[in-house]
Amino acid sequence: MNTQTKPKILVARAIFPEALAKLEESFVVRSNQTDQVFTPEELQKELASVVGALVAGSERIDASALANAKNLKVVANISVGYNNFDVPAMTAAGVMATNTPDVLTDTTADFGFALLMATARRITESEHWVRNGHWDKWSIVNNPLGMDLHHSTIGIIGMGRIGHGIAKRALGFDMNVIYHNRSRLSESDEKACGAKYVSKEELLKTADHVVLVLPYTAENHHTIGAKEIALMKPTATLINIARGGIVDDAALAQALKENKIFAAGLDVFEGEPSVHSELLQLSNVVLAPHIASATEKTRRAMVDLAIDNLRTALAGKKPPSLINTELFKA
Ligand code: 8YV
């Protein structure tokens, strides 16, 4: 295609070079392979000259970002969560919003389980113990002693695709699975995933391990704060693979400091990439840099699906994972 007739798109974060090269065959691409996150002002300017954009959770797409984006038709998120999108503002501006569901479900559920195991069995703390030369202090009673997963109760808050993936894995560990969700699953679905519906309060009181997998919305802000942590068992663990802001990180740091719960495993943080300074000082918390979907295969699949969404939208067809479906005119 002649450069003059190629539509211009923005790729706001670094992507795999082969995927970028393929895009360049059909589009004039403004790429950002240095991966320096755009400021809101820069993003607004970049969006003004393109018909489509690939973004990640780091790009907030709202009325202000769209203010000068007169030709923009689609913004494809390389992410299943889309709390970085102001969907009503995108719909009002006639911009299709898409995300990347399904392709990351198992990878993210695997990681949720890995983080749970690392937290309950104090794996990172144990690694430091070895690295710091404490092996001479090994004893029956003086190792980092953890909490069992097998035959314990896991409480899943948010029973979507990834929640189901966590439940499936938990059954393999002979765990008792309870869940809380905005809406209760059908009887057959509950049976299939072996999970019992309980109130949030009952879940917090009875679970040995609480795993958060719910989407971030204004109503879900601080789903877990001081009050909720106070309901948990002192032996319980809390795992957040959902979104920063679902947990009140300051309240959690305080509770961990006072050993109100056993430990926490966090892949997401309020205001990330910064991390609450007190969390960084504590040994009873396992910290990860938002990597639940981070395997090469899955990140490639996410990029490919985002590109498919973008291409399909720009071809005037309905993208496979369109969020604001009301926008699509067949
Ligand atoms: C992304 C995620 O890596 O898909 C999601 O919702 O949280 C992660 O898989 C992250 O959002 C970057 O876009």
Side-chain angles (χ1 to χ4, degrees):
M1 213 187 267
N2 185 305
T3 304
Q4 244 110 58
T5 60
K6 281 183 183 175
K8 186 175 174 195
I9 62 162
L10 169 70
V11 180
R13 298 297 306 262
I15 61 170
F16 300 100
E18 315 82 71
L20 189 60
K22 201 102 189 66
L23 278 173
E24 281 166 345
E25 289 171 13
S26 345
F27 301 102
V28 172
V29 183
R30 159 65 167 115
S31 61
N32 182 21
Q33 291 299 85
T34 59
D35 228 6
Q36 186 73 43
V37 177
F38 292 128
T39 63
E41 294 72 30
E42 287 168 343
L43 184 62
Q44 187 192 66
K45 207 162 152 218
E46 295 291 346
L47 290 174
S49 64
V50 296
V51 293
L54 285 191
V55 303
S58 42
E59 283 67 53
R60 171 114 191 109
I61 308 297
D62 55 14
S64 159
L66 299 174
N68 301 320
K70 300 295 168 238
N71 299 314
L72 189 64
K73 292 190 175 55
V74 56
V75 179
N77 221 15
I78 309 171
S79 173
V80 64
Y82 52 87
N83 56 303
N84 56 316
F85 284 179
D86 179 340
V87 178
M90 294 175 77
T91 307
V95 175
M96 287 186 238
T98 69
N99 66 339
T100 58
D102 301 317
V103 292
L104 48 64
T105 302
D106 282 321
T107 296
T108 303
D110 279 355
F111 181 81
F113 234 79
L115 189 57
L116 168 57
M117 293 179 82
T119 304
R121 296 301 304 271
R122 302 173 66 178
I123 290 175
T124 51
E125 214 183 323
S126 296
E127 190 194 349
H128 290 138
W129 201 80
V130 173
R131 287 184 191 273
N132 292 334
H134 289 158
W135 203 306
D136 57 339
K137 296 190 182 69
W138 192 101
S139 86
I140 298 293
V141 294
N142 190 34
N143 282 147
L145 300 179
M147 293 293 165
D148 280 323
L149 264 68
H150 69 87
H151 301 99
S152 69
T153 294
I154 186 169
I156 303 169
I157 303 186
M159 204 53 156
R161 299 176 191 86
I162 300 167
H164 277 74
I166 298 283
K168 195 167 158 188
R169 284 155 182 78
L171 291 180
F173 278 73
D174 293 320
M175 293 171 99
N176 171 40
V177 183
I178 58 177
Y179 79 97
H180 183 74
N181 197 45
R182 199 174 23 147
S183 47
R184 190 172 170 171
L185 304 180
S186 68
E187 216 175 299
S188 59
D189 197 358
E190 277 186 359
K191 221 171 174 173
C193 66
K196 183 179 162 223
Y197 179 82
V198 293
S199 68
K200 182 175 142 191
E201 187 175 325
E202 187 181 342
L203 183 146
L204 292 168
K205 281 182 177 165
T206 54
D208 297 302
H209 307 286
V210 175
V211 182
L212 304 172
V213 210
L214 62 169
Y216 182 83
T217 60
E219 304 84 71
N220 289 345
H221 184 71
H222 286 185
T223 291
I224 303 292
K227 191 167 101 260
E228 288 75 21
I229 296 170
L231 296 174
M232 293 173 67
K233 297 179 181 180
T235 51
T237 65
L238 176 70
I239 307 300
N240 188 7
I241 55 164
R243 272 292 179 273
I246 287 183
V247 174
D248 177 344
D249 285 351
L252 176 63
Q254 188 61 31
L256 289 167
K257 219 155 78 176
E258 294 168 7
N259 296 309
K260 292 264 167 65
I261 60 171
F262 181 69
L266 307 173
D267 185 45
V268 288
F269 303 86
E270 274 191 292
E272 65 186 52
S274 43
V275 176
H276 193 285
S277 59
E278 285 183 12
L279 289 172
L280 294 170
Q281 311 304 321
L282 296 166
S283 58
N284 53 351
V285 58
V286 179
L287 308 170
H290 202 147
I291 55 163
S293 67
T295 65
E296 171 146 3
K297 194 173 163 200
T298 291
R299 284 282 168 85
R300 283 186 185 275
M302 290 165 70
V303 168
D304 289 349
L305 176 52
I307 289 175
D308 189 15
N309 278 318
L310 178 121
R311 281 187 191 280
T312 311
L314 292 179
K317 297 188 199 128
K318 187 178 178 183
S321 30
L322 181 63
I323 297 162
N324 44 1
T325 48
E326 67 270 36
L327 256 193
F328 183 74
K329 295 171 198 76

